[in-house]
Amino acid sequence: MGSGQWIMEKRSSLRNDSFSRDNDNVPEAGCLSIIVLGASGDLAKKKTFPALFNLYRQGFLQSNEVHIFGYARTKISDDELRNRIRGYLINDKSAPGQLEQLSEFLQLIKYVSGSYDTEEGFQLLDKEISAHESSKNSLEGSSRRLFYFALPPSVYPSVSRMIKKCCMNRSDLGGWTRIVVEKPFGKDLDSSEKLSAQIGELFEEPQIYRIDHYLGKELVQNLLVLRFANRMFLPLWNRDNIDNVQIVFREDFGTEGRGGYFDEYGIIRDIIQNHLLQVLCLVAMEKPVSLKPEHIRDEKVKVLQSVLPIKDEEVVLGQYDGYRDDPTVPDHSNTPTFATAVLRIHNERWEGVPFILKAGKALNSRKAEIRIQFKDVPGDIFKCKKQGRNEFVIRLQPSEAMYMKLTVKQPGLEMSTAQSELDLSYRQRYQGVTIPEAYERLILDTIRGDQQHFVRRDELKAAWEIFTPLLHRIDDGEMKPLPYKPGSRGPAEADELLSKVGYVQTHGTRVLMQ
């Protein structure tokens, strides 16, 4: 897609060879049913349905083969659901052609009301799906059913049981049934393993897609290409040259009405244990044998299994002033809204290199980035150490960019040095290119059967093994968050920790292209 535009793919191209099938010579010719469970909720309205509409608009979902079913407890009609989501799919300034596409897309949506733990609703849902499949003249065993869980994890087990009992289809002619489950996958190792076991009893691992939307972000997907398709990085990407790695997530707003929900999880469960740890895996993993999903996920698991236990002295927790003013937050809440944790990977490539994971709410800026800081130049003849180290920065959001901080000669007659940047700002370089939303990519991957950007069960277990001891100490009140002012950088102790483990603040001249 070097032309900067999404190319319409033929139906046959949605097949992915990453997962071989026992009956691999049978084409996926059956119709596709996408079932959004929790269709009346915020996640479905704001993320799932808009992603499906964009896939339809770009030709990846064809009206002659796909139908979308919304399922929830709310008793509403088809048209009421369509009206609820309409405003999230298109704006008032949209072109007339998009309005026509919107009307066509909305007609593909049918709503079924029912509970999440009784058979009656799911039997009705299966009846509606089967009617759609019959209307498309799909051979029995060739149709495809994708169930998207836009639901709280507490109902995952009951919904999985109902799907298994009432809504499965035959797959002997190339058809399939797949489920997509959203985080959080439990609250600690035990609850995650229990949830995995409950779902695992009903579905095989190739049918389960644990979605982490960070793995669908453009520059996160670029990491493997950057690392393994560019010769210049291969000899540099190790403990001999890299001093430290920071993976940062910052928001400039607080919980904003979600205090009760957030307080149940906190910043580590909400952001660090999943999003930032997944990015760490891609930064630190070894080169996979191939791009097949299992080969990539094998290498990610090896990284997680090499992480040493987190030390309390290498963790700083914070809670912004005013967080407990939210009436849904307990008065004596110990939940951190900010955390900095240093992870250390015990292997040949990364021994001694601190990986600093930092996330927080109500800070002074909004951004997510990877910052790789290189070691000082030995025998520095230009005496330019005070200007800062070389850094490679990957800005994930907003204003996607990659840039390298280098020391260069200042223009002029004097031999003086300054720090500057080699800059690839996506808005400037790829003008007119629309970067797809993460959910669009990941839903398309589930249809294709590509699990590369989804979390495998053993990967999930290894991630929880890293953070569960720390989380239990926080839950038990053994570690307390430090107060910090909204709009600040967070607790000053976090910056002190960064300096202690070797990070050197670099003051560059870069201005983000807007």
Side-chain angles (χ1 to χ4, degrees):
M1 301 176 185
S3 65
Q5 296 182 350
W6 281 91
I7 306 301
M8 305 257 295
E9 296 190 5
K10 292 183 179 179
R11 176 70 219 119
S12 59
S13 70
L14 290 181
R15 183 68 191 275
N16 185 281
D17 293 327
S18 303
F19 257 164
S20 61
R21 294 181 173 277
D22 294 336
N23 201 356
D24 212 25
N25 60 344
V26 178
E28 287 185 353
C31 65
L32 172 64
S33 299
I34 299 175
I35 303 94
V36 181
L37 300 154
S40 59
D42 278 354
L43 177 62
K45 288 187 295 186
K46 295 177 180 178
K47 297 295 183 181
T48 314
F49 282 116
L52 292 172
F53 176 58
N54 284 330
L55 289 174
Y56 173 79
R57 195 166 51 83
Q58 296 166 107
F60 290 100
L61 299 178
Q62 298 289 332
S63 59
N64 62 348
E65 65 179 18
V66 69
H67 206 74
I68 299 167
F69 298 87
Y71 185 92
R73 288 180 291 221
T74 309
K75 295 185 182 299
I76 55 175
S77 66
D78 295 350
D79 285 337
E80 284 175 312
L81 175 62
R82 293 164 186 161
N83 290 332
R84 284 189 181 198
I85 66 175
R86 184 187 301 270
Y88 294 95
L89 306 183
I90 207 162
N91 57 49
D92 295 335
K93 299 179 181 179
S94 299
Q98 287 192 359
L99 294 174
E100 184 178 342
Q101 287 179 317
L102 174 64
S103 178
E104 295 169 354
F105 174 77
L106 290 174
Q107 291 307 308
L108 298 176
I109 298 174
K110 184 170 184 58
Y111 183 76
V112 178
S113 175
S115 71
Y116 296 127
D117 56 1
T118 58
E119 295 180 21
E120 183 180 1
F122 284 89
Q123 288 171 345
L124 178 58
L125 177 62
D126 180 67
K127 182 180 178 181
E128 295 289 350
I129 298 171
S130 298
H132 159 64
E133 292 168 349
S134 298
S135 71
K136 299 298 182 183
N137 298 316
S138 281
L139 293 173
E140 188 175 0
S142 69
S143 60
R144 296 160 292 147
R145 298 184 178 186
L146 175 63
F147 292 86
Y148 194 107
F149 288 34
L151 297 164
S154 58
V155 300
Y156 286 179
S158 63
V159 170
S160 297
R161 285 193 299 271
M162 293 299 104
I163 293 172
K164 184 69 174 179
K165 190 166 186 178
C166 305
C167 299
M168 297 293 286
N169 62 333
R170 282 174 53 188
S171 58
D172 52 326
L173 292 178
W176 44 254
T177 300
R178 295 172 184 154
I179 64 171
V180 181
V181 292
E182 281 272 358
K183 77 172 187 73
F185 311 115
K187 293 186 67 175
D188 58 11
L189 178 60
D190 288 344
S191 59
S192 175
E193 280 291 280
K194 181 180 179 182
L195 185 59
S196 292
Q198 290 171 324
I199 297 176
E201 289 174 355
L202 303 167
F203 298 97
E204 297 178 2
E205 187 65 24
Q207 295 177 292
I208 304 169
Y209 289 71
R210 300 175 189 86
I211 193 169
D212 183 329
H213 76 270
Y214 251 59
L215 292 177
K217 288 186 176 294
E218 178 69 31
L219 289 187
V220 173
Q221 296 208 337
N222 208 346
L223 279 170
L224 293 189
V225 180
L226 282 170
R227 287 196 54 197
F228 301 122
N230 294 287
R231 179 65 182 259
M232 61 181 288
F233 287 128
L234 296 178
L236 298 179
W237 214 266
N238 53 50
R239 61 188 174 91
D240 296 328
N241 299 286
I242 293 175
D243 187 89
N244 59 79
V245 177
Q246 276 194 76
I247 304 171
V248 178
F249 174 92
R250 305 167 69 91
E251 287 182 333
D252 56 3
F253 54 88
T255 53
E256 306 212 330
R258 295 176 64 247
Y261 168 83
F262 181 86
D263 196 74
E264 190 178 345
Y265 292 95
I267 198 72
I268 296 176
R269 290 183 175 98
D270 195 38
I271 301 295
I272 296 179
Q273 182 272 339
N274 37 71
H275 299 332
L276 301 195
L277 196 58
Q278 284 294 317
V279 174
L280 179 146
C281 289
L282 296 172
V283 171
M285 63 183 269
E286 297 298 318
K287 189 175 186 176
V289 175
S290 75
L291 290 177
K292 289 185 176 181
E294 295 314 299
H295 291 156
I296 292 172
R297 299 199 292 182
D298 285 345
E299 295 303 330
K300 289 167 66 181
V301 171
K302 290 177 186 177
V303 171
L304 295 172
Q305 291 174 338
S306 299
V307 174
L308 296 172
I310 300 172
K311 299 177 181 178
D312 287 359
E313 59 268 26
E314 292 191 329
V315 176
V316 172
L317 305 176
Q319 187 184 93
Y320 67 83
D321 295 337
Y323 169 70
R324 297 182 204 172
D325 294 343
D326 186 324
T328 62
V329 174
D331 291 340
H332 303 288
S333 171
N334 197 52
T335 299
T337 61
F338 173 98
T340 296
V342 178
L343 271 60
R344 298 186 180 272
I345 300 172
H346 182 55
N347 64 20
E348 183 178 4
R349 182 182 295 272
W350 297 114
E351 187 76 38
V353 178
F355 282 74
I356 304 157
L357 306 188
K358 180 165 66 173
K361 289 183 172 292
L363 299 176
N364 59 347
S365 63
R366 174 182 173 263
K367 68 178 179 180
E369 69 180 19
I370 306 161
R371 185 174 294 268
I372 297 160
Q373 187 171 84
F374 292 88
K375 293 187 174 182
D376 292 323
V377 175
D380 178 15
I381 61 175
F382 292 103
K383 311 297 182 187
C384 55
K385 183 176 179 179
K386 63 176 185 256
Q387 290 167 356
R389 294 170 168 172
N390 296 145
E391 289 184 347
F392 180 37
V393 182
I394 303 170
R395 176 67 60 89
L396 306 179
Q397 67 181 34
S399 304
E400 292 90 344
M402 292 180 279
Y403 58 97
M404 296 193 72
K405 292 190 173 186
L406 304 174
T407 298
V408 298
K409 178 188 175 297
Q410 283 270 39
L413 297 175
E414 300 296 329
M415 179 54 74
S416 59
T417 61
Q419 191 168 86
S420 189
E421 294 84 19
L422 292 177
D423 189 345
L424 172 58
S425 294
Y426 271 47
R427 286 187 184 179
Q428 184 180 26
R429 176 64 181 85
Y430 301 113
Q431 293 182 21
V433 177
T434 300
I435 296 176
E437 289 291 330
Y439 280 93
E440 293 173 39
R441 300 176 187 273
L442 297 176
I443 290 174
L444 189 58
D445 283 345
T446 64
I447 298 170
R448 290 170 164 169
D450 185 350
Q451 290 189 309
Q452 174 180 332
H453 302 115
F454 295 84
V455 182
R456 200 168 66 189
R457 181 173 175 175
D458 58 340
E459 188 180 344
L460 180 62
K461 179 182 179 182
W464 278 118
E465 285 175 340
I466 293 169
F467 280 100
T468 291
L470 171 63
L471 288 167
H472 283 178
R473 291 195 292 276
I474 297 170
D475 293 342
D476 294 340
E478 297 174 23
M479 299 183 69
K480 301 288 187 182
L482 302 166
Y484 65 95
K485 293 187 179 302
S488 68
R489 287 177 50 84
E493 288 83 351
D495 288 335
E496 293 168 8
L497 174 61
L498 263 61
S499 297
K500 183 179 178 182
V501 299
Y503 173 69
V504 175
Q505 182 73 37
T506 301
H507 299 284
T509 59
R510 183 172 191 276
V511 178
L512 279 175
M513 298 297 297
Q514 297 299 325

